[in-house]
Amino acid sequence: MTSFNRSTSRRLRKLTQIPSVWEGDRRPLSSPTQHSDSETKGECILWVDGTQGIVRGMDVVPPESGPEAIVRTLMRAMEHPHSPAKPARPQRIVVRDREIQFYLRGVLQDLDIAIDYSPELPLIDELFRGFAEILDSQVPELPPQYAKALREKALAIWQAAPWELLEEQQILSIEINKWDVGTLYASMMGMLGMEYGVLLYRSEDSLKHFRATILREDESQGHLEEAFLKQDCLFLTFEHVDETDEEEEFEDLAKLPLSEIEPTFGNIHPLEGLRSVLYDEEALIVYVALESLNRFIRDHRRHLGSDSFPTLSRRYRISLPDSCDEQTKSVAITVSSMPELTAELEEMAGYEDEEDSEDEEIESEPTPMFRSLRDDLIPEDSFLSLGVVSWEMLEYLRQGVNYHQAGEIKPVGDGLPVILIQTSRPKAKTVIENIEKAGGLKAICFNPGADPFGGDRYDLGLLQTQNGELFLFGEFLDDDPVHVEARKKWNQRCKNTKGYCGLIIAKGLTGAARGNPQLRDMMALFEARSLSPKDLGIGTLQLMPQLQFE
């Protein structure tokens, strides 16, 4: 039997011994009326001062933990008790388990504490009755009569994967007109490869307000959380059954088998906040919404997967679950695409018509920094990085995106050096079209630049198209250590590939994949040659002052 170290015994003996009787016990933390296995709940260890009527120590432990756990909780009850108790050791301990009694007698034999047995522990019995009442009064996450049917509909949505067809701003309306709900507005989460699910907004205003809030660059994290809680929607999200490693689950969720996917339902409302519970009517609303949504995706998959967001509508008769006590056993639901609302949300996010926006930029923006260059190819708010694509990933890219080959590249080194430009999907499509109109991408170059007035020197990232035009894609300070290191790796990789490199255009700038686009976010790969400043032959580019006239 494990016993205290002598130093521990001496420390505990220094505690004031009070004339109190403490009750101690260990019981499953579940209600007798619940059907769930106690192993999923754990066991609760309690130490109560029967004389003063206060809880001195409490722990929840796994059922498989040994008798040492009850001693650990007892030590905390003596040395670091819950308020308002003071550190002390009792004169007498009472337990209702003979094994625990004999175990404690052996462990505590040097502390002058009497260990007695009693079949009943009044205070602890009362506390556990209270725990059981609390557990019995807890509302289940889903109404039991609808739980199985809802999960089946949710998993059908997972298999249909509507986020592979629709972006978050491409909205579908679901007209229900029952249970005090008129129309729901469905937004899909998942095209960014981050979090998968369906948001069912109860109003257009709530949807627009939330989208506008998260797109504001000046919003703090606290304001974003407040905006999240002010949504008015029902939701379905998907999680990995095993949550031991959230990051791994997050990255691999789409690749997991169906058996490892767990649907989660809930409600968000400005006055209620977030709750992961659906009540009866809410469960029926989500049930018919998911079923009609699944049918709509099935019927219009080819149209929804096209480049444009078409106008579509279809009416369905949805049967309610057999366990439903509604008088009518089916509901007529109309699902429609909403291209006008989608266009409004895209405009809100800055996805203007490209020709109009280019004219506006010419009129309103100052003269480009380098007069010998064009800087109207890459959107100003794009995310930019220098990196490498492994040879294996390169093959996937060549098969799955708009691909423009520069020549036969031998796989030498760790991969193809690439420039990644990430922007919104509409702007990415425009960038790709403009490069193609210019005959494709010919070369990528880093050329020196200087500000003779401020004294700064730059490393300018340039793209040369086949028609000879030069476009600025990035300005980097010469003494930026991060860029200096990235340039060293870029030069070495280009040397390995005999001067071959690439440009990747990706979407997902405003979503969770910002700065870390997945394969599904990459829309085009342009292979090109890497040119040195000497090869380009334009010398150091100078910043020219702007002259203003009245």
Side-chain angles (χ1 to χ4, degrees):
M1 177 184 295
T2 305
S3 59
F4 288 133
N5 296 325
R6 291 185 180 276
S7 59
T8 303
S9 295
R10 286 194 295 270
R11 187 180 77 241
L12 294 174
R13 285 180 65 88
K14 290 179 181 178
L15 293 173
T16 303
Q17 189 168 37
I18 56 177
S20 296
V21 178
W22 292 5
E23 296 180 9
D25 202 12
R26 170 178 177 167
R27 303 183 188 180
L29 191 61
S30 62
S31 165
T33 61
Q34 292 179 317
H35 298 290
S36 59
D37 191 338
S38 63
E39 289 187 1
T40 63
K41 297 291 185 180
E43 292 185 347
C44 179
I45 297 173
L46 266 178
W47 284 102
V48 179
D49 187 329
T51 304
Q52 297 183 5
I54 56 175
V55 175
R56 294 188 63 97
M58 178 176 174
D59 272 328
V60 177
V61 299
E64 63 272 12
S65 58
E68 298 85 1
I70 198 167
V71 180
R72 290 193 290 267
T73 307
L74 174 60
M75 283 189 65
R76 282 193 289 275
M78 289 192 284
E79 294 188 293
H80 307 287
H82 295 169
S83 180
K86 304 296 182 183
R89 58 191 170 100
Q91 285 187 339
R92 183 167 167 249
I93 283 175
V94 180
V95 297
R96 64 162 193 164
D97 186 296
R98 291 289 189 187
E99 289 187 12
I100 292 178
Q101 179 192 13
F102 294 138
Y103 184 80
L104 291 178
R105 279 182 175 176
V107 173
L108 306 178
Q109 57 184 326
D110 295 332
L111 300 184
D112 296 333
I113 300 174
I115 315 295
D116 294 333
Y117 165 82
S118 175
E120 294 183 358
L121 304 173
L123 274 176
I124 288 184
D125 290 342
E126 183 62 29
L127 284 170
F128 274 102
R129 275 194 293 271
F131 292 160
E133 290 175 3
I134 293 172
L135 292 171
D136 285 340
S137 65
Q138 286 182 341
V139 178
E141 294 180 358
L142 296 173
Q145 68 272 30
Y146 304 137
K148 181 180 178 182
L150 263 176
R151 289 192 174 94
E152 288 175 353
K153 297 304 176 190
L155 292 176
I157 289 290
W158 174 260
Q159 292 177 301
W163 39 82
E164 292 182 355
L165 310 171
L166 301 173
E167 296 195 52
E168 292 181 10
Q169 76 276 4
Q170 294 178 310
I171 307 302
L172 300 178
S173 68
I174 305 174
E175 186 179 345
I176 297 177
N177 294 326
K178 190 172 176 61
W179 303 296
D180 296 321
V181 170
T183 300
L184 297 177
Y185 301 87
S187 172
M188 311 302 153
M189 299 186 299
M191 181 166 277
L192 297 173
M194 303 297 281
E195 184 175 8
Y196 297 88
V198 181
L199 298 176
L200 300 169
Y201 288 90
R202 293 187 179 93
S203 71
E204 282 191 44
D205 289 341
S206 176
L207 169 60
K208 292 177 183 177
H209 178 75
F210 179 67
R211 297 285 299 179
T213 302
I214 62 173
L215 291 170
R216 290 186 200 135
E217 294 182 359
D218 58 345
E219 287 290 344
S220 67
Q221 184 65 30
H223 287 160
L224 289 176
E225 291 176 1
E226 182 181 358
F228 175 82
L229 294 175
K230 284 185 177 179
Q231 294 178 97
D232 185 8
C233 67
L234 298 156
F235 66 82
L236 162 66
T237 57
F238 296 93
E239 300 175 354
H240 188 179
V241 174
D242 181 9
E243 298 180 351
T244 54
D245 189 338
E246 292 184 2
E247 183 176 353
E248 181 179 350
E249 165 206 351
F250 190 69
E251 292 178 352
D252 299 336
L253 191 60
K255 301 177 183 178
L256 294 174
L258 187 64
S259 60
E260 296 186 30
I261 299 300
E262 178 69 24
T264 302
F265 302 85
N267 176 83
I268 308 174
H269 187 273
L271 300 181
E272 285 191 84
L274 170 68
R275 59 172 161 85
S276 297
V277 170
L278 293 184
Y279 293 97
D280 288 10
E281 286 188 359
E282 293 170 337
L284 288 174
I285 292 167
V286 173
Y287 177 89
V288 298
L290 294 182
E291 173 61 14
S292 58
L293 181 60
N294 194 41
R295 294 189 192 181
F296 188 80
I297 297 296
R298 177 198 63 198
D299 294 341
H300 296 290
R301 194 169 195 91
R302 182 171 59 85
H303 298 96
L304 293 174
S306 61
D307 290 338
S308 61
F309 189 44
T311 300
L312 302 167
S313 185
R314 182 156 295 191
R315 189 173 178 84
Y316 300 100
R317 172 67 62 175
I318 308 298
S319 299
L320 299 180
D322 294 338
S323 55
C324 179
D325 57 2
E326 294 280 326
Q327 292 182 352
T328 56
K329 294 301 180 182
S330 64
V331 181
I333 307 293
T334 302
V335 184
S336 307
S337 62
M338 302 192 72
E340 292 183 4
L341 176 58
T342 297
E344 185 178 347
L345 296 177
E346 289 180 345
E347 183 177 358
M348 189 186 300
Y351 305 171
E352 306 92 352
D353 180 77
E354 197 63 27
E355 292 183 1
D356 294 342
S357 64
E358 285 181 3
D359 293 340
E360 291 174 5
E361 288 172 6
I362 292 172
E363 294 176 5
S364 63
E365 290 190 0
T367 306
M369 179 178 176
F370 299 97
R371 292 177 180 270
S372 57
L373 294 178
R374 291 183 59 178
D375 66 349
D376 56 350
L377 176 66
I378 305 302
E380 186 177 341
D381 58 350
S382 300
F383 175 84
L384 166 69
S385 68
L386 282 68
V388 63
V389 170
S390 68
W391 300 114
E392 181 182 7
M393 177 64 77
L394 183 64
E395 289 306 314
Y396 286 118
L397 272 174
R398 286 171 171 171
Q399 296 170 17
V401 303
N402 242 347
Y403 165 52
H404 301 262
Q405 187 173 7
E408 185 176 349
I409 304 175
K410 293 183 179 180
V412 180
D414 56 352
L416 182 71
V418 295
I419 303 296
L420 171 70
I421 305 291
Q422 186 180 27
T423 183
S424 66
R425 183 179 182 181
K427 291 182 179 180
K429 290 173 67 176
T430 302
V431 172
I432 295 167
E433 290 169 1
N434 288 339
I435 293 177
E436 290 174 340
K437 286 178 184 177
L441 185 65
K442 181 178 181 180
I444 298 174
C445 176
F446 288 92
N447 197 78
D451 176 3
F453 308 99
D456 291 326
R457 299 193 66 81
Y458 294 90
D459 194 21
L460 304 177
L462 308 178
L463 302 176
Q464 185 181 44
T465 51
Q466 291 290 353
N467 62 2
E469 288 188 296
L470 284 176
F471 296 90
L472 178 71
F473 72 80
E475 306 165 25
F476 310 93
L477 286 171
D478 253 358
D479 57 356
D480 179 356
V482 175
H483 178 66
V484 170
E485 184 63 27
R487 272 298 311 278
K488 286 180 181 178
K489 293 180 179 178
W490 171 269
N491 292 341
Q492 183 57 51
R493 286 163 177 158
C494 288
K495 184 177 179 181
N496 292 338
T497 60
K498 306 299 182 184
Y500 284 106
C501 56
L503 171 69
I504 293 176
I505 307 297
K507 61 183 174 65
L509 179 68
T510 59
R514 176 183 173 87
N516 185 30
Q518 306 299 305
L519 181 61
R520 70 181 68 199
D521 302 312
M522 299 177 186
M523 298 177 63
L525 166 66
F526 294 91
E527 292 178 4
R529 300 300 302 233
S530 171
L531 295 183
S532 68
K534 183 179 178 180
D535 295 331
L536 196 61
I538 60 175
T540 299
L541 294 169
Q542 302 285 329
L543 171 66
M544 301 301 292
Q546 287 182 281
L547 301 179
Q548 297 184 2
F549 301 93
E550 295 184 1

